[in-house]
Amino acid sequence: MSLNEAPKFVRADGPDKVTGSGRYTADMNMTGQLVAKFRYADVAHARVTKIDVSAAKATPGVLAVLTAADVPDLRYSPVVPDRTLFVKDVVRFEGEIVAAVAAVNAATAQAAVDSIVFEYDGLPVVTDLEAALADGSPIVHEGWESYGVSGDTVQRPNVASFSSIEKGDIRAGLAAADHVITSRYVADASHALPIEPRAVLAQWEGNKVTIWTSTQVPFDARNGVCETLQMPSSRVRIIVPHLGGGFGGKCGFHFEAHIAALARASKRPVKLVFSRREEFLAPDRRREGMIVDITTGVTNDGTITAREGWIAIDNGAYTADAAFFPQLAAMHVAGPYVSPNVFVESSLVYTNHQPSGSVRAPTAPQACWALESHTDEIARTIGMDPVDFRRKNTVDEGLEGPAAQVYGEIGLRRCLETAVANSAYGSQLPENEAVGVAVGWWPSFPGPSGAYIKVDADGSGQIITGAQECGTGSVMTLRYLAAEELGMEPEDFELVYQDTSAAPYDTGATGSQTLLNNGRAVIEGAREVAAQLRDVAADQLEAAAGDIVLADGFAHVSGSPDRNVSIVELAGIAAEGEMLIGKGSGTPPDYPTVSATCVGDQGVAGWAGPQFSCHAVRVRLDRDTGVVRVLEISAAHDSGTIINPIAAHGQVEGGITMGIGQALSEGTVYGDDAKQRNAGLLEYKLQTAADAPLVTTEFIEIPDPNAGPRGAKGLAEAPNVPTAAAIANAVAQLIGEPVRQLPMTPERVWAVSEGSSS
Amino acid sequence: MSESATPQNFDLEVNGISYPISADQGKNLLSVIREDVGLTGTKEGCDDCECGACMVLLDGQPVNSCSYLAVQAQGRTVTTIEGVMQGEEMHALQRNLLDEGGVQCGFCTPGMIMSAHALLDRNSNPTPEDVKIGLSGNLCRCTGYAKILAAVEKTAAE
Amino acid sequence: MSFTIAATVEEAVEAMANGARPIAGGTDLVVGARHGKSALPDDLVAIDRLAELAEIGPGPGGHRVGALVTHAQLMIDPFIVENYTALADAAALVGSPSTRNVGTLGGNVMNASPAMDTGAPLLVFGATARVAGPGGERTVPLDELWTGPGTTSAAANELLIALNLPMPSDRCGSAYVRLEYRRAMEIAVVGAAAGVTLAEDGTVASASVALSAVAPTIVAVAGTDALNGLALADAAATAAELASDQASPISDLRASDSYRRHCVGVMAKRAVDAACRRAAGESISVPVNRALGIGAA
């Protein structure tokens, strides 16, 4: 369906957002509210010798000062519990919190923060991934063996989580090849960078706390507070006002417990609003730097015989949610290609950098960039057209992927053909322009999710959902699903969302899962209400409930549209009796099991609802300076059935633009002291409106029977996966060899082109 | 310390209403609009003139209110996102942003609308390139800009 | 702590004599204070309402651009675009529409950043700064005004009131080009301005070139006599060599010294090329960066 033919899905939260009346967390204020400020370690690796907050506590206007001594002594984080709320004995990255202050205003809070005495003995910093893995490297977490990791997690010195995927016989496969191509690619870390800096406001009433916070995952945030402050979930309520974007950066549990603890200690509401600089330095959710070594054996006719990979991922100082990254990165380095023999080893390496965490398709854009650059190297080596090479080797229906999952009907090859056909690939271009092509993939993430639906006496309804809207429009789409089940209009429904005490559990705006899982829950809840409506209508119309049809605001008897009663009337009748209340959750789709050998299995080798994509990107190179401009992008995506086309196109356009930034301008620069050097928007460069290329998107809609409503898969992360890779392949065509570092800054492009032309 | 400084007393006209303000002379226009005037539609995204979320119109021209002293705005007219509605009707820019899908998280939206407003005020027939340059001081992380640019072009064409 | 709004230049100068710092748009001051570069001055005198400083018009020996003229004014002023095109090129590249609207030429000049965009064109045109102090006004050549990154030779009680630009000659053209990593919201990684006068035969009769972000201040390229008598391509190539040779760039987050040295030559070459073409009558719209596809899609 083209966008022009699609129904217009106008967002329910849209008027709030275009008129300025919508409240984001930083817009909320309460009488008596205090301002929170943190004292950061500002050193990347050190042993603490002294923390003295007495001057801060004595500052007039300061009502609370907290350190590690003031909160329960425990380590948290899923899978690898290696984190504490405050610095205890050792600082492991610059953004760790030494102390938190609540004061009557910002200047007083800052003065108190500045008065805190923090002394330490510096320790050698761990910044280089390979050095961190070498014998004799300083250890970021002494005592890591005692942390008590969960599941099948495998750890080693300075390795928080190790995974490997093995299939067939890698040595025999490489020996059978006519050509063996080996490449190394190195990606810098980057940032999620939502435009809204995070904010938290906490207020206690008795022994209950309500926390308004800019989180993508309200239930995770609640669980983090419960775990670290040792409270039952019944006494912690998380409310998310409008959320100003996340991209994974606001996933996980961030600072809610610090602010709740400050509010409890000061007996006042306390509010935290981050500066942009703090937003760069403190959260444990940046996109991870990565080293990828990849070797592929091919025969002269372009058949892959074996693929071997070695991956080191920069975990940073703490593991956040990254324990599954090694296995996921391994899947992306092996890639959506058929190879009988696969062996990939992947390590999540501790350093003294800011922690990594799930940012939009974690590990995938970097790993895809490495793999797809390598793929073009293979094609060049054997003299084959790179698109033909992909036509020959990509996974398809009935074929087996790297972890030995056999796929049903999938659209990867159609994505490839469509994106290429809609691009200038193969046509005559100016000498400083080229089209690069890359394919990508990404899983869907089934999980538990719930919603309530009610229809009140006047016939208008509410969807009370645990789902979190981060901007994508997924929650907005739920109204359409409910309305369709009930024969009502989307506008008949109000959304009540982002309140952990009102709605049942949902994973949150993470893993592109909202429509996939909460859509199922809403449909199931709406079906309960539909059954209730049919029962009431059956009484009214003297028909069997099974013969009642709900459509266009009326219930009528099947085959007799004139025998009808309005839903408004039925709602009024029901309100006097059993009422119209539904609940839904539904059974999540299964995760396929795979037969490859998966050491350190984190459950991300078998993919439900696998999504596929291809981007073909036309770039122009300024050969004298290495500046690359992206002119046009042709994208094709298989994310199953598309339910909300305008939002889906918006996800692709936004993901692509993020991908362009990653490709060309976004990279964190670390000093030798392991501190960020470009923690600001002037030196960390996002793409601007002036840089926006022409984007053409087509969806290859193949309903997936083991995915979401109507066969929809996830979508929001997938568009971020192949863009940098496609740009890289265009640049490599223009300068004769790949740029092996990401981002491919003008200076890096220039340096490679100088090297290859001299 | 600035906390003990004598505040500046002045009148500030925002969206056609004059507000008596008493604020430190170092306080930026953004903070005065959000805290003293009480309009929170104008957002703070970077405090650095780099993101455009704080964009307002000062005498009809776009200004990053994070980097402009409130005292300097006295005697001038300030327009914020709350002043864009025409009575109960949305401005065409607001309507078209919704219709075209140019709003996602919405945090950049108020600033984006103010920049677009200023652009269309000075150039009622902009080329696509004019629109891109006109919005180039407003960062959006969600949309990739395409639908925002389309909404502004559509508004110009109406 | 004080804040006064000056109604006349005399009032501004008097306030400055009492220790106040002048503030026009205030962007550099306010952002700088928040970044901890230097605290916001206790005493401020607002000069943004001095209409006489916001004019572009005839001046002694040429033309006068008031210190409060904004980048937004400069980039579209027909007289500037026609006669001092490089200055319009530079103004059009500064920041974003809002920073161009608030930011003034005077603020840019007195902030004395070596990466400022308008500095190189002003140097190429031989502009002088007119400053007013308690003892009256005086004229300062720009290469004497700029003494280092963020520092000038003007006294704390002297207010920049205008830039004086000598009359352009016949058959002259100018251009400013900078290296930018994205198409907006940039700061010059390196930049170059060129002013060229052509002889009857189309060769260069005289040329001047100045560079941004390759030295502690904006610098003029010495020895541009070497361009005289050369046709466009050779003149541009010679300018590139001179610029790269004379640059003394640093390595920082934005670029290494060697990349800057290379690129400033590229920018000088492109600036001379565009200036010569403009001098020959070709219409190249402002800014050159976008007109010639240095970043244009």
Side-chain angles (χ1 to χ4, degrees):
Chain A
M1 178 169 20
S2 91
L3 195 52
N4 289 334
E5 300 156 7
K8 290 286 185 194
F9 282 73
V10 174
R11 312 178 60 102
D13 63 5
D16 283 11
K17 289 178 172 177
V18 298
T19 60
S21 64
R23 298 270 172 166
Y24 295 71
T25 306
D27 302 334
M28 313 282 292
N29 290 300
M30 304 198 80
T31 304
Q33 160 185 309
L34 304 180
V35 174
K37 294 264 184 205
F38 294 147
R39 170 64 181 259
Y40 296 101
D42 198 29
V43 59
H45 202 191
R47 188 169 305 283
V48 178
T49 57
K50 185 178 186 182
I51 297 173
D52 180 355
V53 296
S54 54
K57 284 184 169 170
T59 304
V62 172
L63 277 78
V65 182
L66 301 179
T67 67
D70 302 300
V71 294
D73 184 14
L74 54 83
R75 286 189 316 272
Y76 66 92
S77 275
V79 185
V80 183
D82 55 11
R83 187 83 196 261
T84 55
L85 288 178
F86 292 94
V87 170
K88 269 189 73 185
D89 306 317
V90 177
V91 171
R92 297 186 179 85
F93 82 104
E94 60 178 313
E96 272 193 77
I97 297 169
V98 174
V101 170
V104 292
N105 58 40
T108 305
Q110 190 59 53
V113 160
D114 294 342
S115 77
I116 292 168
V117 178
F118 175 54
E119 293 173 0
Y120 53 82
D121 292 330
L123 295 169
V125 293
V126 177
T127 58
D128 181 276
L129 297 179
E130 287 182 296
L133 294 172
D135 287 343
S137 168
I139 297 297
V140 177
H141 285 267
E142 297 286 357
W144 55 274
E145 300 97 328
S146 68
Y147 280 1
V149 299
S150 56
D152 296 329
T153 304
V154 173
Q155 294 199 306
R156 296 170 180 174
N158 277 343
V159 176
S161 173
F162 169 87
S163 293
S164 64
I165 295 173
E166 186 170 13
K167 187 180 79 164
D169 181 338
I170 188 70
R171 293 298 132 216
L174 288 172
D178 296 317
H179 305 270
V180 174
I181 296 101
T182 295
S183 315
R184 164 165 283 207
Y185 287 89
V186 179
D188 291 344
S190 60
H191 289 279
L193 233 148
I195 305 298
E196 178 200 31
R198 74 201 58 222
V200 181
L201 168 62
Q203 179 192 233
W204 289 78
E205 289 170 303
N207 65 1
K208 292 184 182 175
V209 64
T210 303
I211 305 170
W212 292 263
T213 175
S214 53
T215 183
Q216 289 175 249
V217 285
F219 288 91
D220 261 15
R222 182 185 71 175
N223 296 346
V225 173
C226 294
E227 181 182 0
T228 56
L229 300 185
Q230 298 188 321
M231 294 173 64
S233 58
S234 56
R235 284 169 36 203
V236 179
R237 180 181 186 185
I238 301 284
I239 299 174
V240 186
H242 285 312
L243 182 65
F247 316 100
K250 292 172 183 164
C251 284
F253 157 58
H254 286 146
F255 315 113
E256 288 89 358
H258 300 84
I259 304 308
L262 280 175
R264 182 164 60 184
S266 63
K267 299 183 167 52
R268 292 281 202 99
V270 176
K271 181 174 164 186
L272 171 80
V273 181
F274 260 13
S275 68
R276 179 55 62 186
R277 184 172 165 76
E278 288 176 294
E279 193 67 17
F280 271 97
L281 296 177
D284 57 8
R285 286 294 189 287
R286 55 147 201 186
R287 189 184 287 288
E288 54 291 333
M290 199 184 288
I291 301 174
V292 177
D293 286 335
I294 181 168
T295 295
T296 302
V298 287
T299 57
N300 285 326
D301 73 347
T303 303
I304 295 175
T305 62
R307 172 157 289 161
E308 185 170 23
W310 180 90
I311 307 163
I313 302 166
D314 185 354
N315 187 34
Y318 298 97
T319 306
D321 70 341
F324 68 99
F325 286 15
Q327 193 175 36
L328 198 52
M331 287 296 290
H332 282 281
V333 165
Y337 290 90
V338 175
S339 172
N341 305 294
V342 172
F343 182 54
V344 185
E345 292 182 291
S346 185
S347 298
L348 184 66
V349 181
Y350 278 123
T351 65
N352 292 114
H353 293 153
Q354 176 185 31
S356 298
S358 286
V359 171
R360 199 175 198 169
T363 75
Q366 309 95 300
C368 178
W369 163 77
L371 170 65
E372 288 295 276
S373 296
H374 173 77
T375 301
D376 270 30
E377 287 188 276
I378 297 169
R380 270 196 297 279
T381 301
I382 62 173
M384 192 169 179
D385 176 87
V387 172
D388 284 342
F389 183 84
R390 290 176 175 85
R391 286 184 176 115
K392 187 179 178 72
N393 286 290
T394 45
V395 294
D396 203 354
E397 184 172 3
L399 299 178
E400 186 184 279
Q405 180 177 351
V406 178
Y407 300 100
E409 187 184 3
I410 56 173
L412 176 53
R413 294 192 183 181
R414 282 174 61 193
C415 286
L416 176 66
E417 298 305 334
T418 304
V420 168
N422 289 345
S423 77
Y425 187 84
S427 59
Q428 190 68 36
L429 293 173
E431 63 80 30
N432 60 346
E433 293 184 15
V435 176
V437 175
V439 297
W441 66 346
W442 185 249
S444 301
F445 295 98
S449 183
Y452 306 130
I453 314 285
K454 64 190 178 80
V455 175
D456 290 332
D458 67 352
S460 68
Q462 289 174 318
I463 300 166
I464 301 142
T465 170
Q468 169 65 40
E469 173 65 52
C470 64
T472 62
S474 286
V475 172
M476 302 297 116
T477 309
L478 298 171
R479 298 199 302 170
Y480 294 82
L481 298 178
E484 193 171 81
E485 294 297 327
L486 292 166
M488 295 168 65
E489 293 299 320
E491 293 73 24
D492 293 335
F493 289 92
E494 181 199 8
L495 288 157
V496 179
Y497 56 123
Q498 301 170 186
D499 181 340
T500 56
S501 290
Y505 176 83
D506 179 82
T507 319
T510 177
S512 311
Q513 67 88 40
T514 302
L515 195 56
L516 185 85
N517 293 310
N518 203 248
R520 173 185 77 240
V522 165
I523 288 172
E524 186 159 298
R527 283 178 182 162
E528 278 199 10
V529 176
Q532 294 159 5
L533 275 173
R534 285 195 191 94
D535 283 344
V536 182
D539 279 353
Q540 296 298 309
L541 299 174
E542 296 178 348
D547 289 336
I548 301 296
V549 176
L550 302 173
D552 302 325
F554 286 85
H556 69 259
V557 179
S558 180
S560 308
D562 294 343
R563 287 177 64 196
N564 66 53
V565 54
S566 77
I567 288 174
V568 172
E569 193 178 336
L570 292 174
I573 296 165
E576 301 294 318
E578 292 184 4
M579 302 199 286
L580 300 173
I581 303 171
K583 65 174 192 331
S585 54
T587 309
D590 293 332
Y591 282 92
T593 53
V594 294
S595 59
T597 304
C598 295
V599 174
D601 188 16
Q602 300 287 333
V604 289
W607 291 6
Q611 304 169 65
F612 300 91
S613 57
C614 179
H615 291 181
V617 181
R618 179 175 178 171
V619 308
R620 178 186 295 157
L621 171 68
D622 179 352
R623 291 185 181 276
D624 293 335
T625 64
V627 173
V628 172
R629 303 292 181 202
V630 175
L631 305 181
E632 296 171 359
I633 297 198
S634 159
H637 281 261
D638 167 13
S639 276
T641 305
I642 298 300
I643 293 176
N644 182 342
I646 198 167
H649 281 261
Q651 286 311 299
V652 175
E653 289 155 7
I656 279 173
T657 302
M658 204 169 187
I660 298 171
Q662 255 181 288
L664 301 177
S665 63
E666 293 185 41
T668 294
V669 181
Y670 284 99
D672 293 338
D673 56 3
K675 291 163 72 170
Q676 292 184 46
R677 292 182 62 208
N678 58 339
L681 287 171
L682 179 59
E683 306 295 357
Y684 183 97
K685 293 180 192 299
L686 270 56
Q687 297 292 294
T688 72
D691 300 296
L694 179 67
V695 176
T696 309
T697 306
E698 273 199 44
F699 290 104
I700 308 302
E701 296 195 55
I702 301 170
D704 188 324
N706 186 46
R710 303 184 205 168
K713 308 181 200 179
L715 172 60
E717 291 164 291
N720 203 198
V721 176
T723 312
I727 293 170
N729 284 338
V731 172
Q733 285 176 46
L734 289 165
I735 64 176
E737 65 175 291
V739 179
R740 299 180 186 278
Q741 287 172 287
L742 196 68
M744 299 171 287
T745 60
E747 182 163 356
R748 286 171 172 174
V749 172
W750 173 76
V752 172
S753 66
E754 286 291 288
S756 60
S757 67
S758 61
Chain B
M1 287 296 297
S2 57
E3 287 301 308
S4 60
T6 316
Q8 292 283 327
N9 297 303
F10 58 96
D11 291 337
L12 186 68
E13 188 189 322
V14 182
N15 303 330
I17 299 172
S18 184
Y19 296 86
I21 304 294
S22 182
D24 182 278
Q25 74 183 38
K27 195 165 185 177
N28 62 19
L29 180 58
L30 173 64
S31 300
V32 165
I33 291 169
R34 288 177 56 85
E35 296 166 11
D36 299 69
V37 175
L39 297 174
T40 58
T42 308
K43 305 301 184 195
E44 177 161 348
C46 72
D47 202 19
D48 206 6
C49 269
E50 291 293 333
C51 80
C54 68
M55 200 71 68
V56 300
L57 303 185
L58 190 67
D59 290 340
Q61 298 296 319
V63 168
N64 292 100
S65 62
C66 73
S67 304
Y68 196 87
L69 295 183
V71 282
Q72 285 209 275
Q74 59 187 296
R76 303 186 185 279
T77 63
V78 178
T79 309
T80 71
I81 184 66
E82 290 90 347
V84 172
M85 288 269 285
Q86 295 158 331
E88 294 301 304
E89 291 292 309
M90 278 192 200
H91 188 280
L93 274 169
Q94 297 171 310
R95 186 169 31 80
N96 287 328
L97 272 168
L98 291 180
D99 286 349
E100 294 297 308
V103 177
Q104 287 191 30
C105 89
F107 200 78
C108 77
T109 305
M112 200 68 83
I113 289 173
M114 300 320 288
S115 284
H117 203 295
L119 167 72
L120 297 181
D121 283 349
R122 68 175 178 268
N123 181 359
S124 59
N125 189 24
T127 64
E129 172 73 358
D130 292 337
V131 176
K132 283 182 161 187
I133 298 299
L135 300 184
S136 63
N138 295 79
L139 295 177
C140 170
R141 191 59 149 172
C142 295
T143 65
Y145 303 103
K147 298 193 186 314
I148 297 173
L149 298 170
V152 176
E153 288 172 27
K154 184 177 170 191
T155 305
E158 279 178 4
Chain C
M1 270 272 161
S2 71
F3 178 84
T4 49
I5 297 176
T8 64
V9 170
E10 291 69 32
E11 280 182 26
V13 170
E14 193 185 327
M16 289 170 70
N18 292 325
R21 280 282 301 277
I23 180 167
T27 307
D28 288 325
L29 271 184
V30 177
V31 173
R34 207 145 32 239
H35 282 206
K37 221 190 279 174
S38 55
L40 203 62
D42 277 352
D43 300 306
L44 294 170
V45 54
I47 56 170
D48 56 320
R49 284 158 224 237
L50 301 176
E52 63 197 281
L53 303 192
E55 288 168 2
I56 300 170
H63 289 87
R64 178 189 146 102
V65 180
L68 291 180
V69 170
T70 64
H71 298 100
Q73 268 177 284
L74 281 173
M75 62 185 264
I76 57 165
D77 184 89
F79 186 80
I80 297 291
V81 170
E82 171 73 23
N83 296 292
Y84 304 101
T85 323
L87 191 55
D89 285 331
L93 292 181
V94 170
S96 66
S98 54
T99 47
R100 290 195 285 276
N101 174 51
V102 173
T104 62
L105 183 63
N108 218 210
V109 167
M110 296 307 285
N111 199 39
S113 161
M116 80 167 96
D117 288 304
T118 53
L122 289 171
L123 214 51
V124 155
F125 296 129
T128 55
R130 188 75 179 158
V131 297
E137 295 185 8
R138 68 184 180 106
T139 297
V140 192
L142 288 177
D143 55 359
E144 292 174 22
L145 182 74
W146 295 320
T147 53
T151 62
T152 70
S153 61
N157 60 4
E158 285 185 308
L159 176 69
L160 177 73
I161 56 173
L163 282 306
N164 286 325
L165 299 166
M167 285 293 265
S169 53
D170 287 344
R171 304 177 60 80
C172 74
S174 67
Y176 174 76
V177 177
R178 76 174 184 194
L179 176 62
E180 47 186 10
Y181 293 161
R182 53 184 180 182
R183 295 184 68 234
M185 299 296 285
E186 271 296 12
I187 187 160
V189 183
V190 294
V196 175
T197 303
L198 297 182
E200 290 287 336
D201 64 357
T203 61
V204 171
S206 69
S208 57
V209 177
L211 311 176
S212 316
V214 289
T217 64
I218 304 291
V219 288
V221 172
T224 49
D225 291 357
L227 276 62
N228 297 353
L230 299 181
L232 189 158
D234 290 341
T238 303
E241 273 180 42
L242 291 172
S244 287
D245 285 352
Q246 292 175 28
S248 51
I250 57 168
S251 289
D252 64 12
L253 272 173
R254 293 169 196 156
S256 70
D257 52 358
S258 58
Y259 181 63
R260 274 204 168 90
R261 185 181 296 283
H262 164 78
C263 286
V264 81
V266 175
M267 294 303 120
K269 179 180 165 193
R270 290 177 181 177
V272 168
D273 175 84
C276 286
R277 286 160 63 184
R278 279 175 171 160
E282 186 176 342
S283 172
I284 302 172
S285 65
V286 169
V288 176
N289 267 56
R290 294 189 192 119
L292 294 189
I294 305 164

